[in-house]
Amino acid sequence: MTKKDELRGRLRALFPEESFGVDEAYRTGVAFSTRVPAERLRDAAEACNETGFYLESITGLDFQDTAELVYHLNCYEPKSRVALRVLLHHDQTLLTLSDIFPSALWLEREVHDFFGISFTEHPDLRPLLLPEDADYHPLQKAFGKVNAYHERKEIYG
Amino acid sequence: MAEPFAQPIVQHIYSLNLGPQHPSTHGVLRVLLDLDGEFIVKADPIVGYGHRGHEKMGENRAYKQFMPNTSRMDYLSGMIYNHGFALAVEKLAGIEVPLRAQYIREIRSELNRISSHLLWFGTYVMDLGGFTPFLYAFDDRENILDILDRVSGSRLTYSYCRFGGVNRDLDPNFVDTTRAFVARLRSRFPDYENMVTKNIIFINRTRDVGVITPELARQYAVTGPNLRACGIAFDTRKTEPYELYDRFDFEVPTGTRGDALDRYYVRMEEMVQSCRIIEQALDQLPDGPYRNTKVPFPLTPPKGEVYFAFESARGQAAYYLVSDGSECPYRCHIRVPSFGNLHVLTEVLRGTLVADAISILGSVDLVIPEIDR
């Protein structure tokens, strides 16, 4: 059994079937994505960690009505990338994943820099790429020049 | 009775700034080292000096206008980043690419990979005190830059790919010059081996230095030659074959110990494999159009997203593009391999000597502007 199928089984036990978006053709570059409620993200991350995945990237999306974090995880097998997607309010905080995936230490610092999303129990949330006295979050759509600012349903339906 | 002696201070931790302008950091990287004598207790890399906001720029310009930015993130493998961006947008918008263009892009990407590894080879050996190999490596690298320059008009920041092909066709000499170059480079490998690979000073400075174990690599999302050096044959060109990589016969070299010496072996062997890919591609290079002329302008991909991963010279890089159906991406995120490769050093450098830190920093092949973005 491939690791992505194993992970699928584990996540299916945790989350209802409608939270999965499967992409058999790998058109979006992920085998499947899972919509995870913010308070259960750590459960999902632990399942990924125990299956042998690594945390490849964390990034945010800023919409008018909501913020979203997308976690991409991958393992060393063909076409195995999976995504965890978390919707949150703009001022909501999230528990850190850095004790599960040490790579989250920096990835969460970067997300905090650019989107202003705070991670509780993160040991060191200093700015990573921005100046140390930065009090702005450049990738929020409210900052600087902005081409478009949509509600989430305008893109994802 | 004499006064008792003061208790000796058993531990005096002091801090040392390595960088941000240090010849061995290869870019504006500052590492704040906490030292106990000559041993590193804690290493805290400080990055961001070269932050230019590429992701924000990406959200505010049309897809095509972002192409010049892509070669400026990792300026040593600019062609590969161009190539990856073109592929990501083509996947998002469903654009067909003529076969000749695919071959051209792939040959140039592999040439770029060799040039990046050559630069790493030269500067790394120079960090360790060997000046001569640097001159040899730069001599070879100049040849590659000339070949790439003649077609695209630029030595490092190519902006050569277009959605649905490339900017312009190869010049008539390209195939012959590239063949001659590959033959010449092959004849140089024995020289490199005699100068460096068998050099006892080099071996002593790198063997068992900066060991990255497979578990550590997974925890810190290390990819590329650094991951392969610890024995995991993970290469995006094999696991998610893009462009034409599934047509060519090449191997993914791996190491066993995960130390600086294995990372060296892996990169040297990767150059040999890239030579093989280039030769096969040159043999098969078809005639035909070099660009799909039916790409709509302005380009407006349908709503949706794509996460496109590709193998840069330093590991797995990726573009994450979200389209809202307009000319500009709604979100343009770039996953860079050096990010994880530098982060793991917070763990690897602990307990090593300062002199080894220079060797380890060099051996993971960092490009700092790529991390800063």
Side-chain angles (χ1 to χ4, degrees):
Chain A
M1 189 160 77
T2 58
K3 281 189 175 171
K4 70 179 168 194
D5 292 338
E6 191 189 333
L7 179 67
R8 183 97 196 279
R10 279 175 184 243
L11 290 178
R12 207 177 256 154
L14 291 171
F15 304 105
E17 194 57 42
E18 63 266 20
S19 49
F20 291 90
V22 182
D23 183 3
E24 293 291 347
Y26 218 63
R27 277 200 56 80
T28 56
V30 290
F32 65 88
S33 66
T34 311
R35 180 153 310 293
V36 181
E39 62 278 5
R40 300 201 56 196
L41 176 64
R42 283 180 61 89
D43 299 342
E46 259 158 24
C48 296
N49 186 33
E50 283 159 18
T51 324
F53 278 70
Y54 69 92
L55 181 59
E56 197 173 84
S57 121
I58 307 178
T59 189
L61 296 169
D62 186 13
F63 300 104
Q64 278 180 15
D65 49 342
T66 177
E68 180 169 19
L69 286 183
V70 189
Y71 292 72
H72 285 104
L73 299 111
N74 200 354
C75 71
Y76 308 128
E77 287 177 1
K79 300 197 171 179
S80 298
R81 188 172 300 101
V82 301
L84 304 176
R85 306 183 75 109
V86 187
L87 289 179
L88 13 109
H89 306 300
H90 282 111
D91 49 1
Q92 193 177 341
T93 57
L94 206 60
L95 262 173
T96 179
L97 297 187
S98 55
D99 51 332
I100 304 172
F101 292 107
S103 54
L105 280 169
W106 277 24
L107 290 167
E108 286 176 352
R109 273 172 79 182
E110 190 194 323
V111 170
H112 176 68
D113 274 12
F114 289 142
F115 292 93
I117 293 168
S118 280
F119 296 88
T120 43
E121 294 179 32
H122 189 289
D124 173 23
L125 263 186
R126 284 175 300 155
L128 179 71
L129 298 182
L130 294 183
E132 52 207 19
D133 57 349
D135 55 356
Y136 42 83
H137 305 290
L139 286 180
Q140 285 179 349
K141 291 284 179 184
F143 181 89
K145 185 181 174 219
V146 173
N147 185 56
Y149 193 19
H150 295 299
E151 294 201 358
R152 188 174 189 279
K153 62 175 188 294
E154 289 176 57
I155 294 177
Y156 291 98
Chain B
M1 202 177 85
E3 277 183 39
F5 288 113
Q7 285 294 314
I9 301 167
V10 282
Q11 202 186 28
H12 27 187
I13 308 284
Y14 62 102
S15 296
L16 178 76
N17 250 320
L18 186 71
Q21 292 291 343
H22 188 278
S24 74
T25 57
H26 305 289
V28 271
L29 165 70
R30 174 176 151 217
V31 188
L32 194 54
L33 300 171
D34 285 353
L35 301 176
D36 180 5
E38 242 196 305
F39 288 93
I40 296 169
V41 180
K42 182 172 165 248
D44 182 19
I46 295 167
V47 292
Y49 292 99
H51 175 61
R52 292 143 290 169
H54 280 302
E55 293 189 3
K56 186 77 177 176
M57 281 191 248
E59 292 176 12
N60 286 316
R61 50 188 68 192
Y63 289 89
K64 190 177 165 184
Q65 289 175 313
F66 190 63
M67 187 62 83
N69 288 57
T70 57
S71 21
R72 284 164 173 80
M73 277 176 284
D74 177 355
Y75 49 82
L76 297 180
S77 50
M79 187 63 213
I80 303 177
Y81 272 72
N82 272 180
H83 190 182
F85 186 65
L87 286 163
V89 176
E90 282 156 8
K91 196 171 177 185
L92 188 63
I95 298 170
E96 297 283 319
V97 188
L99 197 58
R100 181 176 173 83
Q102 297 190 25
Y103 274 96
I104 296 174
R105 301 202 290 203
E106 183 162 319
I107 293 168
R108 287 177 53 97
S109 286
E110 289 307 312
L111 280 171
N112 200 191
R113 190 182 312 276
I114 297 176
S115 87
S116 172
H117 282 352
L118 277 173
L119 183 127
W120 167 82
F121 165 78
T123 51
Y124 181 44
V125 179
M126 193 163 72
D127 287 347
L128 298 181
F131 195 77
T132 324
F134 172 80
L135 300 172
Y136 281 72
F138 266 62
D139 181 24
D140 285 341
R141 182 169 173 270
E142 272 315 300
N143 284 312
I144 299 181
L145 297 187
D146 285 346
I147 292 172
L148 296 178
D149 179 14
R150 195 150 353 107
V151 180
S152 64
S154 179
R155 282 162 49 86
L156 291 175
T157 50
Y158 306 103
S159 306
Y160 176 64
C161 291
R162 292 291 180 271
F163 309 132
V166 293
N167 185 9
R168 65 184 92 159
D169 205 358
L170 297 176
D171 64 311
N173 297 328
F174 181 86
V175 174
D176 292 338
T177 349
T178 310
R179 269 190 210 286
F181 166 75
V182 171
R184 183 185 131 98
L185 185 66
R186 279 186 192 282
S187 74
R188 293 279 235 173
F189 288 134
D191 289 346
Y192 292 153
E193 188 151 316
N194 289 331
M195 270 192 297
V196 180
T197 314
K198 292 179 186 166
N199 184 320
I200 189 68
I201 302 172
F202 176 77
I203 292 173
N204 285 342
R205 289 281 322 258
T206 52
R207 189 197 280 147
D208 296 329
V209 166
V211 175
I212 300 177
T213 61
E215 181 55 21
L216 198 62
R218 187 181 72 82
Q219 287 175 343
Y220 284 87
V222 175
T223 49
N226 302 327
L227 175 68
R228 296 193 275 275
C230 59
I232 297 169
F234 177 65
D235 188 323
T236 316
R237 292 176 292 172
K238 289 280 192 194
T239 56
E240 296 170 32
Y242 53 93
E243 205 74 304
L244 302 167
Y245 281 110
D246 45 358
R247 293 195 183 189
F248 299 120
D249 176 26
F250 68 101
E251 278 151 31
V252 179
T254 55
T256 49
R257 297 182 305 272
D259 57 2
L261 187 59
D262 267 358
R263 295 197 272 277
Y264 168 83
Y265 287 146
V266 165
R267 289 206 178 82
M268 297 311 272
E269 184 58 29
E270 267 184 26
M271 286 199 263
V272 178
Q273 298 300 330
S274 289
C275 287
R276 285 179 64 192
I277 296 175
I278 292 169
E279 282 177 335
Q280 292 172 52
L282 286 173
D283 288 341
Q284 301 170 15
L285 182 67
D287 287 330
Y290 61 92
R291 190 170 175 180
N292 180 349
T293 49
K294 297 202 169 57
V295 178
F297 181 81
L299 181 67
T300 52
K303 288 179 184 178
E305 62 173 46
V306 69
Y307 186 97
F308 188 86
F310 55 100
E311 189 77 11
S312 96
R314 264 149 282 283
Q316 187 177 53
Y319 289 100
Y320 176 58
L321 299 171
V322 178
S323 166
D324 60 354
S326 73
E327 302 177 34
C328 308
Y330 190 71
R331 178 82 178 92
C332 168
H333 172 68
I334 304 116
R335 194 259 174 200
V336 289
S338 290
F339 198 87
N341 294 353
L342 175 63
H343 189 191
V344 76
L345 293 185
T346 54
E347 210 50 48
V348 172
L349 288 178
R350 186 175 295 149
T352 60
L353 293 162
V354 178
D356 285 345
I358 303 295
S359 171
I360 296 167
L361 272 174
S363 73
V364 294
D365 191 14
L366 300 166
V367 166
I368 307 302
E370 174 187 55
I371 301 173
D372 296 344
R373 277 165 289 162

